[in-house]
Amino acid sequence: GESVGLHLPTLSVQEGDNSIINCAYSNSASDYFIWYKQESGKGPQFIIDIRSNMDKRQGQRVTVLLNKTVKHLSLQIAATQPGDSAVYFCAEHGSSNTGKLIFGQGTTLQVKP
Amino acid sequence: DTAVSQTPKYLVTQMGNDKSIKCEQNLGHDTMYWYKQDSKKFLKIMFSYNNKELIINETVPNRFSPKSPDKAHLNLHINSLELGDSAVYFCASSRRPSGPPDTQYFGPGTRLTVL
C-alpha cells in the first residue's frame, strides 16, 4: 500500500546544532517530495521540495536529500533555532495526475535553548 | 492578506448535527483540497477540486460533501456528524493538479469537535 513514514516521532536538539529529520517512503514511482513544517495551531507550511531526478536541494538553512535506492528522504536544518520547533512532515506525490500528496506521520522537533 | 483562509477556526457541535466549513484562496490557483488531520497529527487527503470539478474523492463517507461554487472557494458540508469526525480540517490550494506536481498551500485549519 501507499505509505510515507518518519523514523522518529520526536527529535530534541540543542539550539545552534544541526537537525536531521528522516523519512522513508514506499512508492518507488513517486516523482516529487515535499517537506512541510507545522507549528502549533497552524496549517502546514511549505519548506522545501525535491523532484525525483535530483539527489539534493538546498534552501536557506535547509537541505533535502533524496536516496531513491533505499527510498529515503531527509531534511537537514542548519544551526537550529527555537523558531524551528514544530512538527515536520514529509509528503510524496505518486504517479497520478491528481496532485494527491501522501503525508508521513510527522516528527516533532524540539529545540532546547 | 491571507492566501488560504478558512472559517470557522473552531467548531463545536453535537452528534447528529449538520455543519459546514468554508475555504477561500486568493492565490488565483485552479486546484483546492480538503485534508483531515487526526489526533495523532496524521494528515490525509479527502477531496480535491480543479476549477470546480471533483478530481480526488478518497474513501470518505458520503456524509461529507464538498462544494465548489467557483475556483476560489471550496466548502465542506458534513451531515449527521459523528464523534469520529472530530479532527482538524485543512483546506489547501495549488496552481494545477496535473503535469509537474505543484506546491500546495494550506489554510490555518478548522478544529471540529463533536460532542
Side-chain angles (χ1 to χ4, degrees), chain A residues 2 4 31-32 34 36 38-46 49 51 87 89 93-94 96-106, chain B residues 9 31 33 35 37-38 40-45 48 55-56 58 88 90 96-109:
Chain A
E2 300 171 319
V4 178
D31 57 0
Y32 178 61
I34 314 170
Y36 281 92
Q38 186 178 19
E39 295 175 278
S40 180
K42 297 184 179 180
Q45 177 186 5
F46 171 84
D49 58 3
R51 301 196 185 276
V87 179
F89 294 93
H93 176 266
S96 72
N97 286 326
T98 61
K100 176 180 175 181
L101 290 179
I102 299 167
F103 281 78
Q105 288 281 16
Chain B
K9 187 165 176 63
T31 310
Y33 310 81
Y35 286 85
Q37 186 172 48
D38 63 22
K40 295 181 180 179
K41 298 281 190 183
F42 184 62
L43 261 171
K44 186 168 168 48
I45 191 164
S48 172
I55 55 172
I56 295 176
E58 293 293 291
V88 181
F90 287 101
R96 57 183 179 267
S98 60
D102 204 10
T103 303
Q104 293 182 21
Y105 296 87
F106 283 77

